[in-house]
Amino acid sequence: MKWTDKAWAAIEPLYKEILEMPFIEELKNGNLPLEKFQFYMLQDAKYLEHYGRALAALGSKAMDNEMALDFFEFGKNALIVERALHEAYFKEFNLEPNQEITIEPVCHHYIHYLKSTVAFDPIEVATAAILPCFWIYKEVGDHIYQNKNTSNNPYKNWIETYSGEEFAIGVKKALDYTNYMAENTNDKGRELMLEAFIAASRLEFRFWDAAYRNTKW
């Protein structure tokens, strides 16, 4: 059994909770209140900015040039999506592209958890920590895309961003690298990887929950 199989089994109950969250359910059905999605969009823009930097830093610690280039590319893509949020989706959802964004508590916790893990933990632990943002987003994105209200869902364009083939390719690479690192570390390393993966998965849940609850400082 691959390490990622064991990791997913560990968060399966949490993933089911994510799919049942009001934010995800209402996003899928197209009846999520705009102000909740706007809160999410603002925080996601700041998250992606810092996530992209964390991925680039992780690339600098990579074991070989191919891995380094892939993580640099992951970081670049995160920043490209962040720019797209400002240039397209902000306008679509009535947000000011140039407004100053306050990083609220859950987003602040998440990005600093990832950056500190990349900075101070072994590369295999850092890779496990960045994985949920790839993997859970892909799974949730596919779920929403397959079950969404296609006739008049106001969030249709955004949903399609995370259900595309290009994003799936990136997720596959991230999974392969994580399994490779798990195979080349010891039992303690794999234990620390799992702890990091679970922690980041919980923060994925909290990120959406914070948007629904309007959680601020």
Side-chain angles (χ1 to χ4, degrees), residues 14 45 49 54-55 66 76 103 149 165 168-169 177 194 207:
L14 176 64
E49 176 186 334
L55 288 167
E66 183 177 0
K76 174 185 173 182
I103 301 176
N149 180 340
E165 184 176 344
I169 292 171
Y177 283 131
L194 185 60
F207 197 94

Side-chain angles (χ1 to χ4, degrees), residues 56-126:
L58 186 55
S60 71
K61 300 172 69 173
M63 300 172 181
D64 57 50
N65 288 340
E66 183 177 0
M67 186 183 298
L69 287 171
D70 278 334
F71 277 106
F72 291 150
E73 187 68 16
F74 295 157
K76 174 185 173 182
N77 288 341
L79 293 173
I80 288 173
V81 172
E82 188 272 337
R83 181 184 296 174
L85 289 178
H86 280 87
E87 293 180 351
Y89 296 129
F90 270 40
K91 182 179 180 180
E92 182 176 351
F93 297 112
N94 302 320
L95 291 167
E96 173 54 52
N98 297 318
Q99 67 181 290
E100 185 173 341
I101 303 171
T102 299
I103 301 176
E104 302 296 355
V106 173
C107 182
H108 185 276
H109 185 164
Y110 197 179
I111 61 179
H112 283 80
Y113 170 71
L114 293 180
K115 290 166 79 173
S116 65
T117 303
V118 169
F120 298 111
D121 287 310
I123 185 171
E124 64 269 17
V125 178

Side-chain angles (χ1 to χ4, degrees), residues 129-146:
I130 63 94
L131 185 60
C133 185
F134 276 101
W135 197 5
I136 293 178
Y137 249 84
K138 177 67 172 65
E139 296 297 326
V140 173
D142 286 348
H143 171 79
I144 293 173
Y145 184 76
Q146 291 163 8

Side-chain angles (χ1 to χ4, degrees), residues 1 9 29 115 119 141 211:
M1 179 182 289
N29 295 329
K115 290 166 79 173

